[in-house]
Amino acid sequence: MTGPGEVRCMLMRGGTSKGAYFLAGDLPADPGLRDGLLLRIMGSPDPRQIDGLGGAHPLTSKVAVISRSDDPEVDVDYLFLQVAVDSPDVTDRQNCGNILAGVGPFAVERGLVAARDGVTSVRIRMRNTGELAVATFPTPGGRVDYTGSVEISGVPGAAAPVLIEFPAGDRPLLPTGNVRDTVAGTSVTCVDNGMPTVLIAARALNVTGYEDPVALEDDPVLADRLHGIRLEAGRLMGLGDVEGTTVPKLSLLAQPRNGGAVMTRTFIPVRCHTSIGVLGAASVAAGLRVPGSVGEGIARLPARGDRIRVEHPTGFLDIDTSVDPGSGRTPPVARRTAVVRTARKIFDGSVFPRSAGTPPQLFGGNDGSAPR
């Protein structure tokens, strides 16, 4: 039981992200009231998120809203919400495959799914897009076990594996219908294998693709070019005006340096990811398997098997992806996508949001600066 002003919450690391997980019934049903509450819980808008759970970065300002599904073929529904750090915005325009890694364990922890003695699989509907995923993880004795020996880049230590499989969806892999498009004067490949993503050769933007993320973020010329590409690509991909949204993502491609298939630098959409999102990596991997994409001549694809190693600033992410390349009359289709991630429960209890009457400007300057 929670008291007045308290909201039941579980903070979890999912993959290389961290977020607050809620049962849908513990939040207001009205989206406006829900989003206002989440802003106060996370401490936004404030560049430091000093008065909430957020970690002052998009990767640590995320929310999962979970409910039992009314679909007999699905166990739980998962709504992902990205809470902006320094603006009063909450968006559901994208999925998050990292936060997805914690959804199955959370569903078991909250009693939405009965665990088996050994391993448990949870069928998840991602409400942001309607797509499905199946998460499988260890549950010895019918309890979630977060300990294990699986290491993933960007996360210290090791944890139990969470295998996430994505059944083939019915959305086109190439949303524009073309293997390549010229967008804002730049050759790109637009892909959607779970995350709308624009693939760009780093050299086409006069960078190497090996730079530190902060250096790329601080390049005003690059920022202007990426902004123009994103706006035009968004319209071509059927996403409309993406000025105020977090999709599509932009992934710069360079030749691999550490034995993988490709090196990436991904913008989400303005900050440069310190690693890469699961669904973004799934789209990159699928795009590399399409003959004639911008990755051709850059990527070094494995001779056998479905696994593609996507390198990123802090390591790599392995994605199993098979693509039917299609023919002149039939478009390419993603047949299978799977990834191993880890997740960990950090705390479970009640969060106390700041008062609804507290003016946001008290927690950050109007110009985005920290208060003096």
Side-chain angles (χ1 to χ4, degrees), residues 281-330:
S283 289
V284 168
L288 296 181
R289 290 200 178 275
V290 175
S293 77
V294 296
E296 198 165 76
I298 298 175
R300 298 171 185 167
L301 298 180
R304 294 184 299 275
D306 292 342
R307 181 153 299 178
I308 287 182
R309 175 159 291 184
V310 178
E311 298 180 4
H312 56 69
T314 52
F316 62 86
L317 194 157
D318 287 336
I319 294 280
D320 287 357
T321 304
S322 62
V323 171
D324 181 343
S327 62
R329 294 184 178 181
T330 58

Side-chain angles (χ1 to χ4, degrees), residues 15 54 57 79 88 101 111 121 123 129 205 210 218 236 248 250 257 303 360 368:
H57 193 284
L79 176 67
S121 293
R123 301 168 299 175
T129 60
L205 299 179
Y210 307 119
D218 290 343
L236 287 177
L250 308 176
R257 278 189 163 177

